[in-house]
Amino acid sequence: MASDFNWAKADPNAAYFITLQAGRCGKVEGPPGVAKTQYHIQLAKKTGRDLILLLGSTMAPEDVGGIPHIALNEQFFRQLPPWWANRLQDPNCLVFVDEFTTVTPSVRAPMLTMFSDRRVGQCHIHPDNWMAAACNPPQWAPNASPLEKAMANRFSHYTWKENFDGFVQGLESGQANDFGMGDIPVLPEHWKGGMQKWGYTIAGYLRKNSNDRVSIPESDDDMAYPTYRTWHSLRDCLAAAESVSAPANIIHDIAHATVGRAAAGNFLQYIDAMDLVDPEEVLSGRMEFIFDKRRVDLAAVLMSTVVACIRRDYSEDRMVAAISLFCENIGKHAKDLVFTQLRNLVEARPAAVICLPKAAMKIMSDFGNTISPEVRARLKK
């Protein structure tokens, strides 16, 4: 997918910020005094979000789980949540747990629910809100301990990258507590359009590499590791990264932070070796795509990249070619896949283009007639 973002000016921690925007929990670890907290304060200001700052070293179990409260004329108690949890029921927040490794085990237990189920007591955290944490290495923080495997698996784990240029910029500005940030890519509204492509790509890899489906390391030093949860997170983060045309190093950082270095390395090699089809060759008619039922992932990747090509360079002929590929080629073999991707393709046309070409409308109509009522009802659920 095309993006106007200038990656030459990107902040060193851009991969981490993409993870947060994708709705996944991100954690950064680094030494004291390198602006981890200041960055999150500035991130909230720059994105117009309310910052909910929680200090792990001062939290008690009831600060997350709530306080039992007996209401009048009731035979049971409710969990009365803290004020900040009530705010999180609405969108546009950044939840930031600082000093994360100093959170005691009794507090981490209810935090599991907060980070995985997005719930605090009776309050449900709005899906728009970002969930972040930061810490020093456990050996450098008072009363700290490594994260339990269950808690670690809720996060993508990043090593904080110091931004010397930003530090100097703030140092010379004369402003208190002002560390300059590099540019941060902002996800476009359509960023979720790549989820299906990456879902099929990951599924194709895991079908062939069962050892990487779930692999829990014995060492406490390995925070990121592959499970069904983290592969699912990786799908979303890679779709987000692709929507802003993230370079290879960002893709690598996200994969390593989410499923661990071993599984990420194997998966990235798999991607590099995939025999992907050039979408421009197919749209121009110079190449015919041959559907292979054993490689549905290739069809899914092609459809996602075709949508990006149409969004970047629209013409009636290209749209007709794309819809023909979807409906008359891939649609003969994978109606479910085409049905879910057609909307992304139609929405890829410029806002000024109100109607699709007549030829494209006819192809879509003929394709719709091939879908049985039973399948149509199932797909609409």
Side-chain angles (χ1 to χ4, degrees), residues 82-99:
W83 68 269
W84 53 266
N86 183 59
R87 170 63 185 89
L88 293 180
Q89 294 183 107
D90 296 321
N92 209 39
C93 286
L94 167 60
V95 184
F96 176 51
V97 182
D98 204 358
E99 302 177 5

PDB file of all heavy atoms in Angstrom, residues 82-99:
ATOM      1  N   PRO A  82     -11.570   2.113  39.438  1.00  0.00           N
ATOM      2  CA  PRO A  82     -10.970   3.431  39.643  1.00  0.00           C
ATOM      3  C   PRO A  82     -11.463   4.411  38.577  1.00  0.00           C
ATOM      4  O   PRO A  82     -12.010   4.014  37.546  1.00  0.00           O
ATOM      5  CB  PRO A  82      -9.463   3.166  39.491  1.00  0.00           C
ATOM      6  CG  PRO A  82      -9.387   1.935  38.646  1.00  0.00           C
ATOM      7  CD  PRO A  82     -10.585   1.110  38.991  1.00  0.00           C
ATOM      8  N   TRP A  83     -11.226   5.700  38.811  1.00  0.00           N
ATOM      9  CA  TRP A  83     -11.748   6.727  37.909  1.00  0.00           C
ATOM     10  C   TRP A  83     -11.224   6.575  36.489  1.00  0.00           C
ATOM     11  O   TRP A  83     -11.945   6.789  35.513  1.00  0.00           O
ATOM     12  CB  TRP A  83     -11.375   8.118  38.432  1.00  0.00           C
ATOM     13  CG  TRP A  83      -9.896   8.411  38.355  1.00  0.00           C
ATOM     14  CD1 TRP A  83      -8.951   8.182  39.302  1.00  0.00           C
ATOM     15  CD2 TRP A  83      -9.201   8.942  37.212  1.00  0.00           C
ATOM     16  NE1 TRP A  83      -7.711   8.544  38.851  1.00  0.00           N
ATOM     17  CE2 TRP A  83      -7.829   9.028  37.559  1.00  0.00           C
ATOM     18  CE3 TRP A  83      -9.592   9.377  35.944  1.00  0.00           C
ATOM     19  CZ2 TRP A  83      -6.862   9.504  36.687  1.00  0.00           C
ATOM     20  CZ3 TRP A  83      -8.617   9.849  35.078  1.00  0.00           C
ATOM     21  CH2 TRP A  83      -7.279   9.922  35.457  1.00  0.00           C
ATOM     22  N   TRP A  84      -9.940   6.187  36.374  1.00  0.00           N
ATOM     23  CA  TRP A  84      -9.350   6.116  35.043  1.00  0.00           C
ATOM     24  C   TRP A  84      -9.954   4.997  34.208  1.00  0.00           C
ATOM     25  O   TRP A  84     -10.012   5.085  32.974  1.00  0.00           O
ATOM     26  CB  TRP A  84      -7.826   5.971  35.117  1.00  0.00           C
ATOM     27  CG  TRP A  84      -7.327   4.841  35.976  1.00  0.00           C
ATOM     28  CD1 TRP A  84      -6.957   4.889  37.285  1.00  0.00           C
ATOM     29  CD2 TRP A  84      -7.144   3.479  35.573  1.00  0.00           C
ATOM     30  NE1 TRP A  84      -6.548   3.659  37.727  1.00  0.00           N
ATOM     31  CE2 TRP A  84      -6.650   2.780  36.691  1.00  0.00           C
ATOM     32  CE3 TRP A  84      -7.337   2.796  34.371  1.00  0.00           C
ATOM     33  CZ2 TRP A  84      -6.354   1.412  36.647  1.00  0.00           C
ATOM     34  CZ3 TRP A  84      -7.043   1.432  34.313  1.00  0.00           C
ATOM     35  CH2 TRP A  84      -6.558   0.761  35.453  1.00  0.00           C
ATOM     36  N   ALA A  85     -10.417   3.940  34.865  1.00  0.00           N
ATOM     37  CA  ALA A  85     -11.062   2.853  34.132  1.00  0.00           C
ATOM     38  C   ALA A  85     -12.381   3.317  33.528  1.00  0.00           C
ATOM     39  O   ALA A  85     -12.741   2.924  32.414  1.00  0.00           O
ATOM     40  CB  ALA A  85     -11.279   1.657  35.054  1.00  0.00           C
ATOM     41  N   ASN A  86     -13.086   4.158  34.253  1.00  0.00           N
ATOM     42  CA  ASN A  86     -14.334   4.705  33.720  1.00  0.00           C
ATOM     43  C   ASN A  86     -14.056   5.546  32.466  1.00  0.00           C
ATOM     44  O   ASN A  86     -14.803   5.492  31.483  1.00  0.00           O
ATOM     45  CB  ASN A  86     -15.023   5.556  34.779  1.00  0.00           C
ATOM     46  CG  ASN A  86     -16.353   6.097  34.301  1.00  0.00           C
ATOM     47  OD1 ASN A  86     -17.252   5.346  33.947  1.00  0.00           O
ATOM     48  ND2 ASN A  86     -16.478   7.422  34.285  1.00  0.00           N
ATOM     49  N   ARG A  87     -12.945   6.314  32.488  1.00  0.00           N
ATOM     50  CA  ARG A  87     -12.588   7.116  31.312  1.00  0.00           C
ATOM     51  C   ARG A  87     -12.266   6.228  30.110  1.00  0.00           C
ATOM     52  O   ARG A  87     -12.556   6.593  28.956  1.00  0.00           O
ATOM     53  CB  ARG A  87     -11.375   8.006  31.652  1.00  0.00           C
ATOM     54  CG  ARG A  87     -10.742   8.723  30.462  1.00  0.00           C
ATOM     55  CD  ARG A  87     -11.698   9.699  29.798  1.00  0.00           C
ATOM     56  NE  ARG A  87     -11.111  10.294  28.588  1.00  0.00           N
ATOM     57  CZ  ARG A  87     -11.215   9.778  27.374  1.00  0.00           C
ATOM     58  NH1 ARG A  87     -11.873   8.631  27.180  1.00  0.00           N
ATOM     59  NH2 ARG A  87     -10.670  10.390  26.325  1.00  0.00           N
ATOM     60  N   LEU A  88     -11.712   5.053  30.351  1.00  0.00           N
ATOM     61  CA  LEU A  88     -11.291   4.184  29.262  1.00  0.00           C
ATOM     62  C   LEU A  88     -12.452   3.533  28.524  1.00  0.00           C
ATOM     63  O   LEU A  88     -12.255   2.893  27.481  1.00  0.00           O
ATOM     64  CB  LEU A  88     -10.356   3.092  29.788  1.00  0.00           C
ATOM     65  CG  LEU A  88      -8.994   3.568  30.297  1.00  0.00           C
ATOM     66  CD1 LEU A  88      -8.173   2.394  30.798  1.00  0.00           C
ATOM     67  CD2 LEU A  88      -8.241   4.307  29.201  1.00  0.00           C
ATOM     68  N   GLN A  89     -13.646   3.687  29.032  1.00  0.00           N
ATOM     69  CA  GLN A  89     -14.802   3.165  28.309  1.00  0.00           C
ATOM     70  C   GLN A  89     -15.086   3.978  27.044  1.00  0.00           C
ATOM     71  O   GLN A  89     -15.785   3.520  26.139  1.00  0.00           O
ATOM     72  CB  GLN A  89     -16.043   3.159  29.211  1.00  0.00           C
ATOM     73  CG  GLN A  89     -15.921   2.186  30.370  1.00  0.00           C
ATOM     74  CD  GLN A  89     -17.165   2.131  31.223  1.00  0.00           C
ATOM     75  OE1 GLN A  89     -17.925   1.163  31.187  1.00  0.00           O
ATOM     76  NE2 GLN A  89     -17.391   3.188  31.982  1.00  0.00           N
ATOM     77  N   ASP A  90     -14.533   5.189  26.991  1.00  0.00           N
ATOM     78  CA  ASP A  90     -14.655   6.050  25.817  1.00  0.00           C
ATOM     79  C   ASP A  90     -13.337   6.037  25.057  1.00  0.00           C
ATOM     80  O   ASP A  90     -12.278   5.732  25.616  1.00  0.00           O
ATOM     81  CB  ASP A  90     -15.017   7.477  26.241  1.00  0.00           C
ATOM     82  CG  ASP A  90     -16.381   7.552  26.907  1.00  0.00           C
ATOM     83  OD1 ASP A  90     -17.300   6.847  26.438  1.00  0.00           O
ATOM     84  OD2 ASP A  90     -16.522   8.290  27.907  1.00  0.00           O
ATOM     85  N   PRO A  91     -13.347   6.402  23.768  1.00  0.00           N
ATOM     86  CA  PRO A  91     -12.135   6.310  22.947  1.00  0.00           C
ATOM     87  C   PRO A  91     -11.151   7.439  23.190  1.00  0.00           C
ATOM     88  O   PRO A  91     -11.373   8.325  24.012  1.00  0.00           O
ATOM     89  CB  PRO A  91     -12.696   6.364  21.515  1.00  0.00           C
ATOM     90  CG  PRO A  91     -13.961   7.164  21.645  1.00  0.00           C
ATOM     91  CD  PRO A  91     -14.538   6.789  22.987  1.00  0.00           C
ATOM     92  N   ASN A  92     -10.047   7.379  22.463  1.00  0.00           N
ATOM     93  CA  ASN A  92      -9.045   8.438  22.381  1.00  0.00           C
ATOM     94  C   ASN A  92      -8.166   8.558  23.627  1.00  0.00           C
ATOM     95  O   ASN A  92      -7.863   9.652  24.084  1.00  0.00           O
ATOM     96  CB  ASN A  92      -9.696   9.789  22.072  1.00  0.00           C
ATOM     97  CG  ASN A  92      -8.766  10.715  21.317  1.00  0.00           C
ATOM     98  OD1 ASN A  92      -8.033  10.272  20.439  1.00  0.00           O
ATOM     99  ND2 ASN A  92      -8.796  11.991  21.640  1.00  0.00           N
ATOM    100  N   CYS A  93      -7.738   7.413  24.154  1.00  0.00           N
ATOM    101  CA  CYS A  93      -6.839   7.400  25.303  1.00  0.00           C
ATOM    102  C   CYS A  93      -5.554   6.636  24.970  1.00  0.00           C
ATOM    103  O   CYS A  93      -5.535   5.777  24.084  1.00  0.00           O
ATOM    104  CB  CYS A  93      -7.495   6.722  26.509  1.00  0.00           C
ATOM    105  SG  CYS A  93      -8.761   7.677  27.326  1.00  0.00           S
ATOM    106  N   LEU A  94      -4.502   6.954  25.714  1.00  0.00           N
ATOM    107  CA  LEU A  94      -3.265   6.179  25.723  1.00  0.00           C
ATOM    108  C   LEU A  94      -3.034   5.713  27.145  1.00  0.00           C
ATOM    109  O   LEU A  94      -2.783   6.523  28.042  1.00  0.00           O
ATOM    110  CB  LEU A  94      -2.090   7.026  25.231  1.00  0.00           C
ATOM    111  CG  LEU A  94      -0.679   6.445  25.466  1.00  0.00           C
ATOM    112  CD1 LEU A  94      -0.515   5.105  24.763  1.00  0.00           C
ATOM    113  CD2 LEU A  94       0.403   7.423  25.012  1.00  0.00           C
ATOM    114  N   VAL A  95      -3.153   4.408  27.363  1.00  0.00           N
ATOM    115  CA  VAL A  95      -2.898   3.826  28.681  1.00  0.00           C
ATOM    116  C   VAL A  95      -1.420   3.468  28.754  1.00  0.00           C
ATOM    117  O   VAL A  95      -0.922   2.694  27.932  1.00  0.00           O
ATOM    118  CB  VAL A  95      -3.743   2.557  28.911  1.00  0.00           C
ATOM    119  CG1 VAL A  95      -3.539   2.030  30.327  1.00  0.00           C
ATOM    120  CG2 VAL A  95      -5.205   2.833  28.642  1.00  0.00           C
ATOM    121  N   PHE A  96      -0.713   4.031  29.718  1.00  0.00           N
ATOM    122  CA  PHE A  96       0.721   3.810  29.824  1.00  0.00           C
ATOM    123  C   PHE A  96       1.077   3.379  31.237  1.00  0.00           C
ATOM    124  O   PHE A  96       0.963   4.152  32.186  1.00  0.00           O
ATOM    125  CB  PHE A  96       1.473   5.089  29.444  1.00  0.00           C
ATOM    126  CG  PHE A  96       2.966   5.000  29.619  1.00  0.00           C
ATOM    127  CD1 PHE A  96       3.686   3.945  29.080  1.00  0.00           C
ATOM    128  CD2 PHE A  96       3.657   5.985  30.330  1.00  0.00           C
ATOM    129  CE1 PHE A  96       5.066   3.867  29.238  1.00  0.00           C
ATOM    130  CE2 PHE A  96       5.030   5.914  30.492  1.00  0.00           C
ATOM    131  CZ  PHE A  96       5.735   4.849  29.947  1.00  0.00           C
ATOM    132  N   VAL A  97       1.496   2.124  31.379  1.00  0.00           N
ATOM    133  CA  VAL A  97       1.942   1.597  32.672  1.00  0.00           C
ATOM    134  C   VAL A  97       3.459   1.722  32.733  1.00  0.00           C
ATOM    135  O   VAL A  97       4.177   1.005  32.036  1.00  0.00           O
ATOM    136  CB  VAL A  97       1.510   0.138  32.873  1.00  0.00           C
ATOM    137  CG1 VAL A  97       1.950  -0.350  34.254  1.00  0.00           C
ATOM    138  CG2 VAL A  97       0.001  -0.009  32.724  1.00  0.00           C
ATOM    139  N   ASP A  98       3.934   2.646  33.552  1.00  0.00           N
ATOM    140  CA  ASP A  98       5.368   2.866  33.687  1.00  0.00           C
ATOM    141  C   ASP A  98       5.914   1.989  34.817  1.00  0.00           C
ATOM    142  O   ASP A  98       5.158   1.514  35.673  1.00  0.00           O
ATOM    143  CB  ASP A  98       5.627   4.348  33.977  1.00  0.00           C
ATOM    144  CG  ASP A  98       7.024   4.778  33.570  1.00  0.00           C
ATOM    145  OD1 ASP A  98       7.793   3.917  33.093  1.00  0.00           O
ATOM    146  OD2 ASP A  98       7.344   5.970  33.720  1.00  0.00           O
ATOM    147  N   GLU A  99       7.229   1.770  34.809  1.00  0.00           N
ATOM    148  CA  GLU A  99       7.884   0.922  35.817  1.00  0.00           C
ATOM    149  C   GLU A  99       7.208  -0.457  35.874  1.00  0.00           C
ATOM    150  O   GLU A  99       6.898  -0.995  36.941  1.00  0.00           O
ATOM    151  CB  GLU A  99       7.857   1.604  37.200  1.00  0.00           C
ATOM    152  CG  GLU A  99       8.525   2.973  37.207  1.00  0.00           C
ATOM    153  CD  GLU A  99       8.424   3.664  38.556  1.00  0.00           C
ATOM    154  OE1 GLU A  99       7.922   3.041  39.507  1.00  0.00           O
ATOM    155  OE2 GLU A  99       8.856   4.825  38.668  1.00  0.00           O
TER     156      GLU A  99
END
